[in-house]
Amino acid sequence: MTSALVPLEHFLDLPAHARLLGLDLGTKTIGLALSDVERRIATPLETIQRVKFGLDAAALLRIAEKHRVAGLVIGLPLNMDGSEGPRVQSTRAFVRNLAPLTDLPIVFWDERMSTLAVTRTLLDADASRAKRAAVVDKMAAAYILQGALDRLLRLQPADEDDEA
């Protein structure tokens, strides 16, 4: 099995009612978010504690299968100036290793500011430090996925929007 990195537009051709899974890859955790079947709303799902790649990938793919996911949106942690640093290299390595294990199409999505935006939202909600730590990764994944979903909606031909 081989998977390919695809442009976001590829997701317009996915089967109807197929969900997307958003990922926020951290060094200690992987935050996950799931789209609804209409691919309009991202919802925080869960957080995987990272152990080693094989176990992490197996857990991720089990979750994708359970929710009948048709594609993965993976946050790409670019530097603020758009350059690629060590975290981007780590993310690309994860995807290179994951791709042969699945047929799911994969797209990268610029995740700059996702964790900051989520943290600010949680601070505004007066969430405790422990509560923020418990939810920030899956909320960041939802922020990443929602950005991709919003872009997909803008890419749809006008006549498809009118039918909804």
Side-chain angles (χ1 to χ4, degrees):
M1 290 192 285
T2 59
S3 174
L5 279 172
V6 298
L8 186 64
E9 293 80 8
H10 176 83
F11 283 5
L12 292 172
D13 299 326
L14 291 175
H17 305 296
R19 298 174 187 267
L20 299 179
L21 188 66
L23 286 77
D24 178 39
L25 290 175
T27 55
K28 296 179 183 176
T29 61
I30 302 172
L32 302 176
L34 190 64
S35 76
D36 64 324
V37 295
E38 298 295 324
R39 294 194 290 266
R40 294 181 187 271
I41 300 170
T43 303
L45 183 61
E46 65 181 89
T47 302
I48 297 172
Q49 294 299 315
R50 293 191 72 172
V51 182
K52 64 180 189 175
F53 174 79
L55 296 173
D56 301 345
L60 171 64
L61 294 175
R62 273 194 307 275
I63 292 164
E65 184 177 346
K66 174 184 174 185
H67 293 284
R68 296 186 198 97
V69 167
L72 303 175
V73 177
I74 299 181
L76 193 64
L78 298 168
N79 293 325
M80 290 307 293
D81 65 1
S83 64
E84 296 187 5
R87 289 191 59 227
V88 169
Q89 293 170 2
S90 175
T91 299
R92 289 190 188 280
F94 183 92
V95 170
R96 265 193 314 276
N97 292 326
L98 180 66
L101 304 177
T102 182
D103 286 328
L104 294 174
I106 300 170
V107 67
F108 284 127
W109 189 257
D110 183 350
E111 73 165 45
R112 282 180 281 186
M113 306 298 287
S114 61
T115 301
L116 179 62
V118 167
T119 301
R120 283 187 178 161
T121 300
L122 290 168
L123 285 169
D124 289 346
D126 205 25
S128 69
R129 183 179 303 243
K131 176 69 172 171
R132 288 193 311 268
V135 300
V136 71
D137 296 315
K138 63 185 176 182
M139 288 185 68
Y143 186 92
I144 291 162
L145 180 56
Q146 190 64 56
L149 294 173
D150 291 348
R151 178 72 178 135
L152 277 172
L153 286 174
R154 289 192 299 274
L155 290 172
Q156 288 180 350
D159 58 352
E160 287 184 25
D161 278 344
D162 294 339
E163 294 175 18

